[in-house]
Amino acid sequence: MISAMGELAVARVPYSVNETLQGFDQADVLALEYLQEEALLNTQSRVVMVNEPFGAMTCAVTKAMVALDGSLPTLWSDSHIAHLGLQHNAYANKLPLAHFVPAQKTPQGPFDLVLFRLPKSHALLRDQLQRILPQLTPSALIIMPIMVKHMDTAVYQLLESLLGTVTTSLARKKARLVFAGKPAGINSGKNKAALKQTLKPVETSWELPSYGLFLHHFSGVFSRTKLDAGAQVLLHLFPKGPFKKIIDLGCGNGIQAIFAAKKWPQCEVIGIDESYMSVASATINAKANGVAAQCAFIAGDCLTEIPSQSADLILCNPPFHQERVMGDQIAMRMFAQAAQVLTANGEFWVVGNRHLGYHVKLKRWFSRVEQVGAHPKFVVLKAQL
Ligand SMILES: C[S@@+](CC[C@H](N)C(=O)[O-])C[C@H]1O[C@@H](n2cnc3c(N)ncnc32)[C@H](O)[C@@H]1O
């Protein structure tokens, strides 16, 4: 990445020499140019970066702050992959590692500069803005680098409702900067208890009486307001078992993991998700549904950290996008890794949209693929080695 703040080696993670997508975009480059032109970094700067996908801007700011002998920036994100990206890119550029705060926690200010990449989820955007504003100094500047195609009226209106006056830079190379200050009135008149309250993330909860489940969600969790239709089809056609070692791959709120733990009280379940808010919500949910002793939820990228041949059942409702990048590349990595982690007689159960053609794709790694049930929109597939 070449910007006004110098040159950096920036990669996406998981790292691949064949990767065709970049780990940064022109909105990052525009933001770094603005920081440089306006001389916004100095030894006193307290900088927080929000939702950066691979830590490119965070590394550029770290480099500048190290040269100034200032403090390290903080990256605040819901993504474990972003955390890995930051680690990879800081190491590749021989930079100290910026502070990292997962999205269910709130970074402790005061900050005077915020570089905020807007997430796709409006619920997460609203929650993060509401929690970061009290952590800002009165004269703090919020810069939101964005690709023009992602700036629609709904986002703009949401920003105005939360931040008051919002201005934009001219567009360059299809990127823009959106600027805001700290709205007047935030913090004023609030006592310490009220301020502490703003540190807490927004939560939504609902019950599924037919499955005996109560589920709680932080703002970044998939399908946080209702049961996902695909998840429902998988719950309905659930494997017969019994099984001993189960993995819920891309666990979200932990629904499949918790249902499995309740169904087979002797089994051990691991739920994995790249969203920290999902892992935190699923952990709360396992406790609330009485299966905490059987379940462990971990932040991870697919099954990278899981030993080979260690699970006799893997359940998966795969993602169909990574933030704004649509496609089945993550699902394909999940399938390939599931084939490694499954025991010889193990079962890999996948629910997916009928049109995605998972039935054919799974055959790259599994010798037997069977459709166990269907729904007008979804199919449930059982794959075996
Ligand atoms: C379609 S949702 C399914 C959530 C839940 N299992 C359900 O059935 O409602 C897919 C989940 O995969 C997670 N995910 C995306 N990329 C991932 C990755 N590289 N490693 C692990 N989980 C990932 C997402 O955060 C999301 O929670």
Side-chain angles (χ1 to χ4, degrees):
M1 177 177 74
I2 299 171
S3 76
M5 289 176 63
E7 208 172 317
L8 283 176
V10 173
R12 294 172 78 91
V13 293
Y15 178 75
S16 160
V17 276
N18 300 321
E19 180 61 81
T20 50
L21 297 172
Q22 287 181 328
F24 66 95
D25 62 20
Q26 289 304 319
D28 296 320
V29 175
L30 194 59
L32 294 175
E33 185 177 299
Y34 187 80
L35 293 188
Q36 185 72 2
E37 271 173 9
E38 300 294 315
L40 288 176
L41 297 177
N42 58 57
T43 50
Q44 311 300 316
S45 297
R46 293 276 320 257
V47 188
V48 60
M49 329 288 295
V50 189
N51 304 326
E52 247 227 286
F54 303 103
M57 276 195 299
T58 309
C59 284
V61 170
T62 301
K63 192 173 170 186
M65 302 288 284
V66 167
L68 284 166
D69 207 16
S71 62
L72 291 171
T74 297
L75 173 57
W76 187 32
S77 167
D78 190 33
S79 167
H80 180 65
I81 291 176
H83 196 181
L84 295 175
L86 173 67
Q87 289 167 359
H88 178 101
N89 289 319
Y91 183 77
N93 292 285
K94 300 190 172 61
L95 291 168
L97 199 56
H99 307 291
F100 183 88
V101 179
Q104 78 278 12
K105 300 195 170 148
T106 306
Q108 300 286 293
F111 297 105
D112 42 41
L113 183 58
V114 187
L115 284 150
F116 201 123
R117 293 296 318 229
L118 305 182
K120 194 164 171 247
S121 155
H122 285 195
L124 179 61
L125 170 57
R126 180 186 291 276
D127 178 26
Q128 285 182 310
L129 272 179
Q130 280 170 343
R131 282 189 288 141
I132 203 67
L133 289 176
Q135 304 296 326
L136 306 187
T137 58
S139 59
L141 175 62
I142 306 168
I143 305 176
M144 292 161 274
I146 190 162
M147 296 308 290
V148 172
K149 63 182 173 191
H150 298 143
M151 188 73 192
D152 56 30
T153 318
V155 178
Y156 204 86
Q157 283 171 351
L158 179 58
L159 292 179
E160 281 188 326
S161 73
L162 295 165
L163 296 168
T165 309
V166 169
T167 58
T168 57
S169 71
L170 291 175
R172 217 194 52 206
K173 294 192 179 170
K174 299 183 181 162
R176 233 183 234 294
L177 301 178
V178 181
F179 301 103
K182 178 173 176 165
I186 300 244
N187 281 2
S188 53
K190 278 189 178 166
N191 58 29
K192 273 194 173 163
L195 263 182
K196 220 173 169 185
Q197 192 64 28
T198 62
L199 295 176
K200 289 195 181 155
V202 171
E203 297 171 30
T204 41
S205 305
W206 37 266
E207 228 175 321
L208 280 181
S210 49
Y211 291 98
L213 296 174
F214 178 77
L215 298 159
H216 148 107
H217 309 79
F218 291 125
S219 59
V221 179
F222 170 80
S223 210
R224 54 180 257 290
T225 54
K226 60 177 182 353
L227 176 62
D228 170 58
Q232 182 165 21
V233 178
L234 181 53
L235 284 179
H236 181 66
L237 294 165
F238 219 65
K240 302 284 168 283
F243 297 94
K244 287 190 182 135
K245 300 255 182 185
I246 302 173
I247 293 177
D248 181 359
L249 176 53
C251 65
N253 59 10
I255 187 162
Q256 312 292 346
I258 293 166
F259 191 62
K262 286 181 83 134
K263 187 169 165 125
W264 300 298
Q266 309 303 324
C267 76
E268 281 173 33
V269 190
I270 298 175
I272 299 160
D273 206 289
E274 86 93 22
S275 147
Y276 288 105
M277 282 185 157
S278 295
V279 171
S281 299
T283 305
I284 293 170
N285 291 336
K287 198 168 174 201
N289 290 282
V291 291
Q294 282 169 269
C295 298
F297 292 95
I298 52 176
D301 175 21
C302 299
L303 294 165
T304 314
E305 306 295 328
I306 305 295
S308 295
Q309 299 180 11
S310 61
D312 55 0
L313 175 65
I314 302 178
L315 299 161
C316 186
N317 177 7
F320 29 85
H321 63 89
Q322 185 171 7
E323 260 298 294
R324 290 186 168 97
V325 181
M326 305 297 288
D328 66 5
Q329 56 280 23
I330 300 172
M332 293 307 108
R333 286 184 49 239
M334 287 180 164
F335 296 177
Q337 294 186 6
Q340 297 293 319
V341 167
L342 215 55
T343 53
N345 295 316
E347 297 179 13
F348 180 39
W349 283 58
V350 180
V351 62
N353 248 287
R354 186 177 283 283
H355 72 85
L356 291 170
Y358 285 163
H359 191 276
V360 175
K361 291 172 182 167
L362 279 163
K363 286 190 177 150
R364 282 186 221 162
W365 301 282
F366 297 90
S367 60
R368 282 173 291 168
V369 181
E370 177 192 332
Q371 182 173 315
V372 286
H375 165 276
K377 213 172 147 199
F378 299 97
V379 287
V380 174
L381 302 165
K382 175 168 88 171
Q384 289 176 284
L385 294 170

